[in-house]
Amino acid sequence: EAGVAQSPRYKIIEKRQSVAFWCNPISGHATLYWYQQILGQGPKLLIQFQNNGVVDDSQLPKDRFSAERLKGVDSTLKIQPAKLEDSAVYLCASSAPTVSGANVLTFGAGSRLTVL
Amino acid sequence: QKEVEQNSGPLSVPEGAIASLNCTYSDRVSQSFFWYRQYSGKSPELIMSIYSNGDKEDGRFTAQLNKASQYVSLLIRDSQPSDSATYLCAVNTGNQFYFGTGTSLTVIP
């Protein structure tokens, strides 16, 4: 099966500019996640969707970050305006139950953002 | 916020040795536990999952789970230079996943 697709892979912007990242999850995966991974740290959940509804966005900086998953398939994460501390890799992941019933998370390749 | 704690390392082992990575978690109702490997500049890749107490072996990898102690570990036998990476412990509760900060492993030839 095809994996989680993300684009762009790399983006360099200046502070106060805007940027958008796109993600297409594995076909049939109802749950989609956006994680932020700062260099040297573990992934931090920004937002979780179940189909096109938000399950958890408690750690999303809503004054500058927004995300949508309008048709319950692909998703877009936007940052406007960007700050220097937003420099990170933005990982999209999707999950579905396995035959054992447990959920397993699969990541895309990530989008690396550098804010100058 | 669910806590997942790992020693950040770095951990260095000689080639052929056993590497031991540890993880503790705070939420007693956590159901599933995972180890992801992340090479520099790449995204995390699932290498092991464990759901019940005890050991689970897959090739050179063994995951160990002790729910009473809220402790998960990963043993890598016959460590190879290609095992050099950051290993992330992840804990699943319901449909949510929480990650530790990762342990950096270097296998010295």
Side-chain angles (χ1 to χ4, degrees):
Chain A
E1 64 181 2
V4 178
Q6 289 190 247
S7 67
R9 289 292 315 279
Y10 305 93
K11 190 74 175 179
I12 301 174
I13 62 174
E14 302 212 339
K15 60 183 179 183
R16 292 187 289 274
Q17 288 187 324
S18 63
V19 62
F21 302 112
W22 174 84
C23 172
N24 191 277
I26 293 172
S27 178
H29 281 200
T31 310
L32 183 148
Y33 310 76
W34 284 101
Y35 284 88
Q36 179 193 58
Q37 188 175 27
I38 293 172
L39 188 65
Q41 299 182 18
K44 180 184 104 174
L45 179 68
L46 293 176
I47 189 165
Q48 177 182 341
F49 293 95
Q50 179 78 16
N51 296 308
N52 61 350
V54 175
V55 174
D56 184 355
D57 63 355
S58 58
Q59 296 195 83
L60 187 73
K62 298 181 184 64
D63 57 335
R64 298 183 301 105
F65 286 64
S66 64
E68 59 183 15
R69 192 184 185 199
L70 292 175
K71 296 181 179 179
V73 180
D74 57 348
S75 175
T76 302
L77 176 70
K78 297 180 181 177
I79 308 174
Q80 181 179 13
K83 292 186 175 182
L84 295 177
E85 59 260 37
D86 298 332
S87 294
V89 176
Y90 291 85
L91 294 164
C92 181
S94 66
S95 73
T98 62
V99 291
S100 67
N103 288 304
V104 175
L105 195 66
T106 303
F107 286 94
S111 295
R112 182 179 298 274
L113 173 65
T114 302
V115 182
L116 302 176
Chain B
Q1 173 67 24
K2 310 293 192 292
E3 297 288 335
V4 180
E5 301 284 344
Q6 294 182 253
N7 290 329
S8 60
L11 174 66
S12 294
V13 300
E15 184 174 354
I18 295 174
S20 177
L21 306 166
N22 304 314
C23 172
T24 59
Y25 59 95
S26 63
D27 189 356
R28 286 194 168 275
V29 302
S30 297
Q31 301 155 328
S32 309
F33 307 87
F34 306 88
W35 286 98
Y36 285 80
R37 178 176 61 200
Q38 187 172 28
Y39 292 116
S40 181
K42 301 293 186 183
S43 64
E45 169 196 15
L46 179 67
I47 56 171
M48 287 290 286
S49 59
I50 187 165
Y51 309 118
S52 56
N53 281 328
D55 296 359
K56 179 182 177 182
E57 185 175 318
D58 184 0
R60 296 186 295 110
F61 298 96
T62 299
Q64 299 174 318
L65 173 61
N66 184 326
K67 289 187 177 180
S69 300
Q70 295 175 242
Y71 175 87
V72 193
S73 67
L74 179 70
L75 299 177
I76 306 175
R77 291 182 302 282
D78 187 23
S79 295
Q80 301 296 308
S82 59
D83 295 326
S84 298
T86 295
Y87 290 80
L88 295 163
C89 175
V91 173
N92 170 236
T93 303
N95 210 11
Q96 297 185 313
F97 294 81
Y98 301 94
F99 286 81
T101 55
T103 299
S104 175
L105 171 67
T106 300
V107 180
I108 303 166

